[in-house]
Amino acid sequence: GAVVSQHPSWVICKSGTSVKIECRSLDFQATTMFWYRQFPKQSLMLMATSNEGSKATYEQGVEKDKFLINHASLTLSTLTVTSAHPEDSSFYICSAPRAAHKSTEAFFGQGTRLTVV
Amino acid sequence: AQSVTQPDIHITVSEGASLELRCNYSYGATPYLFWYVQSPGQGLQLLLKYFSGDTLVQGIKGFEAEFKRSQSSFNLRKPSVHWSDAAEYFCAVGPMEYGNKLVFGAGTILRVKS
C-alpha cells in the first residue's frame, strides 16, 4: 500500500485564491520531503526541499513567496500555492525518502492536479 | 551538470513484443539510478533501482535494467509487453548522500498496440 499520501488528488480554484496541498508519510518519519512540479507533457522538476524544523530550500527560479512550504511535523509537509493564477495550473507531487537496506528510496505521493480558473 | 536524457518521447510496440527504453545520464558523483512508471493521473511507482553490485537489476512487473558505466546508460527492458504496460516511464538519477533529490528525464510514453 501507499507509504506517502498526498491530498487532495485534484483541486480547482479561482484566480487569486490560495490552495494548500498536504503530503504525509504514513508509516515512517521524514525529516526531508521533496516537492516536484510537472507541466503538461514535460518531466518532473524539483521545486523545493522541505525540511522539518527549518526553512525550505527552493530551487533556482521557484518563487518562495508564491509556493509556501511548511514542514509541520516529521510526517507532514504542506505546499501552499498563494494567489494562484492559471499559469500555476500543474501536477504537483511530493516524495519522501525512507531508509532501506543499504540505500534510501524515494516514495511518491499520488500527486495533486491543480487547475486555476 | 546533472542531467538525464531519454531520447525517445514516444514508443509504440505490439503486445507480446520486447521493449527497450533508453536512458543516458550525466552525473558528477556515483549515481543512484531509478526507473519510475506513471499511469495517467497517477503518481509515480518505482519499477527498479540501481545503487551498486550486479549491473543487471530486476524490478517489478517483469522489468529489468542494465547499468553500463562506460556508456552512462541505464536502459529499461521487458521481454514481452502487456497492454497494461502502456504508461509514461521516467528515468531518474540522484545523489547517494541525499538519497532523493532526483533529476528526471523527460519521460517516454509507451503505447501498446494489440
Side-chain angles (χ1 to χ4, degrees):
Chain A
V3 296
V4 174
S5 175
Q6 195 171 333
H7 177 81
S9 298
W10 58 271
V11 58
I12 301 173
C13 71
K14 292 183 177 180
S15 287
T17 62
S18 295
V19 174
K20 181 184 286 187
I21 303 168
E22 294 185 347
C23 180
R24 294 181 183 272
S25 57
L26 297 182
D27 60 358
F28 65 101
Q29 294 180 337
T31 56
T32 302
M33 292 185 180
F34 299 90
W35 287 97
Y36 294 84
R37 179 176 181 177
Q38 184 180 30
F39 291 96
K41 302 186 186 300
Q42 297 186 33
S43 185
L44 294 90
M45 300 296 293
L46 180 66
M47 297 175 64
T49 303
S50 175
N51 304 299
E52 191 272 336
S54 64
K55 292 181 179 180
T57 306
Y58 291 82
E59 296 300 301
Q60 190 173 8
V62 177
E63 299 177 61
K64 57 183 68 176
D65 294 331
K66 158 69 78 174
F67 300 101
L68 299 180
I69 291 173
N70 180 31
H71 204 125
S73 72
L74 288 170
T75 60
L76 174 65
S77 174
T78 60
L79 168 67
T80 301
V81 183
T82 63
S83 186
H85 288 93
E87 58 265 31
D88 298 325
S89 298
S90 193
F91 188 69
Y92 295 86
I93 193 166
C94 68
S95 78
R98 187 177 77 173
H101 178 59
K102 293 186 179 180
S103 69
T104 301
E105 182 175 328
F107 288 90
F108 285 81
Q110 67 268 45
T112 298
R113 184 160 301 284
L114 169 64
T115 302
V116 184
V117 298
Chain B
Q2 305 164 8
S3 66
V4 176
T5 301
Q6 292 180 247
D8 303 305
I9 299 175
H10 297 97
I11 282 185
T12 300
V13 299
S14 299
E15 190 170 15
S18 63
L19 170 72
E20 182 171 35
L21 302 182
R22 296 182 290 166
C23 172
N24 291 93
Y25 68 91
S26 174
Y27 205 74
T30 302
Y32 279 48
L33 292 157
F34 305 83
W35 274 100
Y36 288 90
V37 60
Q38 184 182 33
S39 297
Q42 302 296 313
L44 298 175
Q45 182 181 23
L46 179 67
L47 287 175
L48 47 77
K49 58 187 183 289
Y50 172 79
F51 303 126
S52 64
D54 192 347
T55 56
L56 184 63
V57 293
Q58 302 297 319
I60 62 171
K61 304 184 179 185
F63 286 92
E64 65 178 26
E66 186 172 14
F67 171 64
K68 293 185 178 180
R69 185 183 300 275
S70 61
Q71 299 177 19
S72 297
S73 69
F74 188 56
N75 294 346
L76 181 71
R77 301 195 292 252
K78 187 170 184 177
S80 177
V81 170
H82 188 263
W83 64 267
S84 61
D85 293 325
E88 188 162 16
Y89 292 79
F90 291 97
C91 181
V93 63
M96 291 178 66
E97 60 267 35
Y98 301 123
N100 293 115
K101 197 171 181 180
L102 297 175
V103 175
F104 285 86
T108 298
I109 297 173
L110 172 65
R111 300 190 180 110
V112 180
K113 57 182 181 181
S114 55

